[in-house]
Amino acid sequence: AVVLAIATLPVAASFAGMLMQAAQGYTRFQPLLYLQLVSADTLPLIIALVAMAMGVHAIVNQKFVGHLIIISYWVLTSVLSNLGFNHHLYQIGVPGSFTYSDLNGWGPYLPRTIVLAAYNVAFCFLIATLGYLVLVRGTSAGWTERRREGMRRWRHGAGLVAGACTAVVLLSGGVYFHNANILNAYTEVRDAERGVKAWELEYKPLAELPQPRIVAVTLRHDYYPERRAAVWYGPMRAVNRNALPVDTLFVSLPSSAPSPVDRWTATSNTGLALDSLVFDRAATLIHDDLPNGVRLYRFAEPLAQGESLTVHFAGRFEPRGFPNDAFNNDVAANGSFMNSQYVPGFGYQEGGELGDDDIRQRNDLAPKPRMKALDDPAVRENNYSSSDADWITFDETTCTAPDQISIAPGYLKREWTENGRRCFQYVMDRPILSFYATLSARYTVTREEHNGIALEVYHLPEHSFALPSMLQASKDGLDYYGANFSPYLYRQYRIIEFPQYAGFAQAFPNTIPYSESIGFIYRQEEGDDKIDLAYFVTAHELAHQWWAHQVIGGNGQGSTMFSEGLAEYSALTVMEKRYGREAAQKFLRRELDGYLRGRGNERKKEVPLLYVENQPYIHYQKGSLVFYALRDYIGEEQMNRALRAFIGKWALQGPPYPTGRDLLAEFERVTPDSLKYVLTDLFEEITFYENKTDSARATKRPDGRWDVHLVFNSRKLKGDSLGNTREVPMADYVDVGIFGERVAGQKLGAPLLVEKVRITQPVTTLDLVVDAEPKRAGIDPYNKLIDRTPEDNSTAVEAGS
Ligand SMILES: [Zn+2]
């Protein structure tokens, strides 16, 4: 009866889910899928746990002790899990995480889910059966009697059940172990960390070895979606741009050793292989450490300054069975997405080090700065996306299953069939960053043209909800960025859906891989109060075609300020033009909350925007607040003049690469002296305001207009890296606003008066006159400044006397 009751749960849950969908006007029901999703993973575990609990209770025959054992077991599993012991053979009842993708279905997870379900259910039924053998009914609990009754039950079927359960436990456990530990590597995260530490200690001393720089990549990529495999190979040309000759080549390859994914899990990484690596000059392999992704070669003849080297490489990914956790889903049956990290690079890759201070400490490694200091001259030597290349030429041929389309940066030059497989050649007609990706899936392509630029969205046929938003954002962004920053570099802008194994969108040249989860399986309702995410993300990624793919910062503090920060600001600007000021305010308010939350969770140090160390809450959230506030002070025209000048000087340049100082210099040029303090506050220091309106009173005048008497408080504070603040004197221009009747969707009401007032006192009293009846008034009502209590900035206007 209990099992039956539990079994109805998923049906009820699926049904409830569908009712909710119907209520929202969504009609693409997939009842079988919902049932599968609920029942494949959770249901067997619930049944298993109930069985285990019943078994334990029966065995100990004492309610309290039984509860205690079950609770202790739960505490133990989560303690083990937090220590990095996550093997599912001893984590009974703990679900193995999986991701269902509309694009790729169950993907590689189903076999593991089935084996684990069988193992868990059989294991727990075994305990339940043992419990049944000793279960006491009534009060006749003598030991002799219990044993006799147990023997009777064993003969009458319980023995058979116990035997069957044991067989299933052994069989499924064996299959699981074979997959997780033999075909793949199960590694506890601490062991994986020790591996990365050993790599750092061994190879960091070689970080200064002069290495050639990649200048041209010609890649061939073959996908075999049906077996989740891929091979890639090609020639790559590199040039020695150092004054010193290169005698030792440090080749960095994707590492096949397990690596830490987060604080608790490590990847298996098996299935990665290097098939060949040859050079067009004599070289001896002097050190071979493929698991750590390092090979060192000594050239017979050193590579002199200006000389070039051609490298032919071939790599392969061929997964075997299933791992315990952390599946590599870069190659999928439908929806592969592999980026340039699979292609060899040169030199020590600092990015592979353990970064988190706590994790470094538990491995006896000194804490390390997140990034090079802003003014360290070494920052300008490399861009922050690659340390072994600047701007490269790119040509990729990619072949895949006959029913799939494969895409890479560049323009389609040729499409053909080869051995029954579909091939595409993409060539980029101008140098790009050494940062590219290739994708393959069964796509429908939605195309539009906008002023000579081809807009293309590659998506699952059913995923069409967000296409209008994506296309609109593309057009709006191309128009605005093209007119105000610099011309768009390409004749095409492509958005390509990938499965929700990751939840981001990422900008490569003319190519935007875009997770189904943040755009495609999500629908914006007409009149929806929420921010149109698909529109915003599309505008943000498009902005990266300028902020990253035209101007890229050096590898140090501050550089993400003008890739992520300006992309966020640019997207906000086009969104405001399309959806209006209210939408922008709503967005900024969310950004403010995000920034304040982010700094509350900072574990190392908060830095001013100019010094940002790739901290999302600073470069995204604070970035959009700061750039929006700056535009508000200096005006859109001056803002765009500065951005245009910055691009004009630095587009497609480097090394030396620009830093945040170069952007700030452009802002200084267009900012009047009276507002120079704003640049310091916004970029070079951490600044807060505590603005609060105490009272707003209005009286109608004989001429029909209204007198408004406003009293507000203002404080200005500076923060340090540890989150402490101190008050500083204020002589700042801040908005004062008075608003009338509110229409639907407005937070404040129709603006009757908004002007900047110079505030020099902690308490300010203002008398203002407006034409219509005021309803709400206050200081910095739009929350343009960073204020830790933004809600008290405006207040309802009361009738005065
Ligand atoms: Zn971005």
Side-chain angles (χ1 to χ4, degrees), residues 540-541 544 564 567 620:
H540 175 108
E541 299 308 326
H544 277 309
E564 295 309 341
Y620 294 123

